[in-house]
Amino acid sequence: MFVGRKKELEALESFYNDDKKKVCCVTGQVGMGKTTLLKEFAKDKKHIFHIAYPTTDVGQMVLFARSLGEIYEMPRFANTANLQVLKEEYEMIPDFTELMDMIEEKAEGEKLLLIIDGYYNFVKADASYEKILFDYITSKWANNNIKLIVCGDSFLAMEKFVYGKKAIWKDTPMTMVELKGMGFYDSCEFFPDRDEEERTFLYGLTGGIPQHLSKIEGDLENVAKELFLKPIHQAGLMPEATMSIDLRELSYYNRILMTLAQGNVRVNQISALVNKPKDVVVPYMNTLINIGVVEKNNAITEKNNRKKTRYGIVNTNFLFWYRYIAPNIDWYYSGKIRDMWSELIEPELADYMKSVFVRMCKEYIRKEADNGKMPFTVDDIGNWWENDEDKGTSSGFDLVALGKCEDKPCTVFGRCYYNDEPIEMATLKDLIEMTKHVSASGDVFYIVFSKCGFHENTLTVAGAIKNIMLITLEDVAKL
């Protein structure tokens, strides 16, 4: 059963129905479900689906010819050491131009999708392939209904070959679809029968990565062990394996990510901990941003304030790994799986889950506002903080949204609490007091999200003031 990816499917359908665009590029890290998405999209459409394997020009053409199915029946080579037999079989392989002409014949004037998954493997096999493909799509097939979808895991390779400044396709009108981790609500379709806390944990642990979501079975500890705590040779999709597609040398990237996962989010902090000057750290950070592993944040009302720049790990799955596993890799290698869970992970889960909860609350605000269930609309959402340079600390809001209320600007301030105590009135007062430090536009709304609800006096005060909203984990996690 195919789950989620509604917006991505809509983007692909829009491309399919757009007579002006001939090329679509689909990117995303390993495990995000790119191939599954494309198969779901193409299943009721006339299409050719080729998954490119890293091989030579001859090997690639053999596989591509087989992908054509009924257009051309590529024989399976005999398992023989007879050079004459092999030579005769290799001579039977059509060249790429012949195969492209066969595709045109198959189209017969109808709309047809040519999908090449692992595109960089395809064009690396022979430099002429992308030139031939480009010529057919943009010139020979310019007036017919054949459309090209290219797909790949490597952001840097796809940039080089598809949409970068030196790419042959750079000036071609193109639809871009990037697959990231699924949101909370789509992820929950994989485990709808779990309770609110379990859904929150499972979403955080998997990071909404479909390949991880599909493995969920048993209690929470067993899920964690299945995804992360198995012996190294049995482990599945580890962050290092994902990043190695784009990055050759991982040592400093791993160290930077461990530093980020431990809460050190400013360049000067990272620089000190990895023992590299800032002008060396920043290019590393930019590379991690380019491949979708790290994000750069500025306070939402001060986006040009460089002093308020901080970084974070995009996916909570990566955050879990670099917070708990990578810094304790010696235990991981030695198989101390039970000790890792009981001594290192379980005691700190509430703090880790706070970051997951913030992401859920952000998605909740957008969803409710889009559905007209909030007294405001949301144009932009982020956060805001101020730095204490002497102490090296920051304080502020988990969420700040900018939008409109009754067609006038408004600002929404939010804090999220994932602990085992109901929220008291003092917490609400602290939130309101902190807003005095921010230049807010128009009406102001205050939202407090809480895992364990609210004290009665907090509920009483909030009930009397229309611009204060108290929202529980049960509200957020409700499907």
Side-chain angles (χ1 to χ4, degrees):
M1 180 182 70
F2 185 82
V3 172
R5 299 300 190 196
K6 181 179 178 181
K7 290 183 179 179
E8 290 84 355
L9 283 171
E10 288 174 352
L12 289 171
E13 287 290 350
S14 178
F15 161 72
Y16 185 74
N17 295 315
D18 188 336
D19 294 333
K20 296 181 180 179
K21 289 187 178 179
K22 304 281 284 186
V23 181
C24 175
C25 177
V26 178
T27 60
Q29 294 168 348
V30 175
M32 291 297 177
K34 299 179 295 299
T35 303
T36 302
L37 170 73
L38 290 174
K39 287 182 176 180
E40 174 69 17
F41 167 66
K43 68 181 183 182
D44 57 352
K45 300 174 177 65
K46 198 170 188 178
H47 70 277
I48 293 166
F49 203 122
H50 174 60
I51 299 179
Y53 181 77
T55 184
T56 63
D57 54 348
V58 173
Q60 200 65 249
M61 281 302 99
V62 170
L63 296 173
F64 188 77
R66 289 175 183 163
S67 297
L68 303 191
E70 71 271 15
I71 300 178
Y72 178 80
E73 186 175 346
M74 186 68 205
R76 300 276 171 178
F77 291 166
N79 184 15
T80 178
N82 188 310
L83 293 180
Q84 182 59 36
V85 172
L86 288 174
K87 182 179 178 181
E88 291 174 359
E89 290 179 331
Y90 283 135
E91 289 174 350
M92 296 171 63
I93 302 171
D95 64 28
F96 190 28
T97 300
E98 291 178 284
L99 293 172
M100 293 294 278
D101 289 337
M102 293 179 191
I103 291 173
E104 184 175 2
E105 292 177 11
K106 174 181 172 63
E108 298 176 339
E110 299 179 41
K111 191 172 290 188
L112 180 143
L113 290 170
L114 172 58
I115 302 170
I116 303 180
D117 196 354
Y119 179 70
Y120 45 83
N121 290 327
F122 186 79
V123 296
K124 283 180 180 179
D126 190 309
S128 69
Y129 291 168
E130 68 170 351
K131 295 176 183 177
I132 294 170
L133 190 60
F134 178 81
D135 182 52
Y136 271 83
I137 293 294
T138 61
S139 181
K140 293 183 179 179
W141 292 349
N143 297 317
N144 65 23
N145 287 323
I146 301 176
K147 288 173 168 279
L148 173 68
I149 298 179
V150 295
C151 175
D153 300 320
S154 171
F155 286 92
L156 300 184
M158 293 300 283
E159 179 182 25
K160 176 182 178 181
F161 291 115
V162 183
Y163 54 85
K165 293 180 180 179
K166 296 181 179 180
I168 195 171
W169 303 96
K170 64 179 177 16
D171 296 322
T172 307
M174 186 182 304
T175 293
M176 298 290 297
V177 179
E178 181 183 350
L179 269 66
K180 300 180 180 180
M182 288 182 170
F184 172 73
Y185 300 102
D186 283 344
S187 297
C188 286
E189 292 189 42
F190 286 86
F191 41 83
D193 298 329
R194 304 276 186 158
D195 64 32
E196 291 83 2
E197 287 191 45
E198 288 181 320
R199 289 201 290 267
T200 302
F201 177 75
L202 293 172
Y203 165 63
L205 191 69
T206 62
I209 298 173
Q211 188 167 329
H212 289 327
L213 289 166
S214 64
K215 295 178 181 178
I216 289 175
E217 187 176 341
D219 62 29
L220 302 186
E221 182 178 351
N222 284 333
V223 172
K225 289 178 179 178
E226 177 66 26
L227 295 184
F228 283 129
L229 302 178
K230 297 175 74 171
I232 190 74
H233 64 280
Q234 296 179 14
L237 188 62
M238 296 186 299
E240 287 95 333
T242 299
M243 292 194 302
S244 66
I245 293 172
D246 281 306
L247 307 176
R248 292 182 180 178
E249 189 271 309
L250 289 174
S251 56
Y252 274 106
Y253 292 108
N254 282 334
R255 184 62 192 145
I256 286 171
L257 290 168
M258 280 188 273
T259 302
L260 280 171
Q262 291 160 0
N264 303 287
V265 297
R266 299 172 65 186
V267 168
N268 59 342
Q269 294 173 322
I270 299 165
S271 173
L273 290 167
V274 303
N275 197 28
K276 287 285 185 181
K278 288 191 285 187
D279 60 351
V280 173
V281 169
V282 170
Y284 277 94
M285 301 299 290
N286 289 338
T287 299
L288 290 170
I289 290 170
N290 290 339
I291 65 172
V293 174
V294 164
E295 59 188 355
K296 181 178 179 181
N297 296 307
N298 290 91
I300 192 169
T301 59
E302 304 173 57
K303 290 188 174 182
N304 295 322
N305 186 347
R306 296 178 64 184
K307 291 183 179 180
K308 283 195 174 182
T309 297
R310 62 187 188 186
Y311 298 86
I313 296 175
V314 171
N315 194 286
T316 53
N317 175 267
F318 277 47
L319 177 61
F320 186 93
W321 178 269
Y322 282 105
R323 177 164 179 162
Y324 298 115
I325 313 301
N328 303 289
I329 203 72
D330 54 331
W331 275 20
Y332 184 69
Y333 285 143
S334 62
K336 295 183 178 180
I337 306 305
R338 183 169 295 177
D339 292 337
M340 290 188 74
W341 176 263
S342 62
E343 296 184 30
L344 303 176
I345 299 173
E346 196 169 30
E348 288 192 4
L349 269 181
D351 189 47
Y352 162 76
M353 289 305 301
K354 162 71 182 288
S355 62
V356 177
F357 191 43
V358 169
R359 295 163 200 245
M360 290 170 54
C361 295
K362 181 178 180 180
E363 188 176 350
Y364 173 84
I365 289 177
R366 276 202 177 276
K367 176 178 71 75
E368 294 296 287
D370 289 347
N371 291 334
K373 295 182 180 180
M374 289 289 189
F376 51 79
T377 59
V378 173
D379 298 323
D380 193 10
I381 188 167
N383 50 24
W384 181 95
W385 64 92
E386 58 183 4
N387 299 321
D388 186 325
E389 299 297 343
D390 294 332
K391 296 181 180 179
T393 59
S394 299
S395 61
F397 305 99
D398 299 312
L399 297 170
V400 177
L402 305 178
K404 290 183 174 61
C405 177
E406 298 179 351
D407 295 325
K408 296 179 181 179
C410 72
T411 306
V412 183
F413 296 98
R415 277 184 172 171
C416 310
Y417 297 90
Y418 201 85
N419 50 39
D420 293 327
E421 297 179 1
I423 301 301
E424 298 193 29
M425 189 61 207
T427 301
L428 183 56
K429 289 180 179 179
D430 182 56
L431 167 63
I432 295 172
E433 184 66 26
M434 178 59 73
T435 62
K436 296 177 182 179
H437 297 239
V438 190
S439 178
S441 300
D443 291 338
V444 174
F445 293 87
Y446 311 96
I447 305 182
V448 179
F449 295 91
S450 172
K451 172 189 173 185
C452 287
F454 304 88
H455 274 290
E456 192 171 327
N457 61 344
T458 312
L459 292 167
T460 300
V461 171
I465 305 175
K466 67 177 183 178
N467 63 339
I468 296 178
M469 286 171 274
L470 306 180
I471 299 172
T472 65
L473 171 63
E474 184 178 358
D475 297 325
V476 175
K478 184 177 181 180
L479 302 181

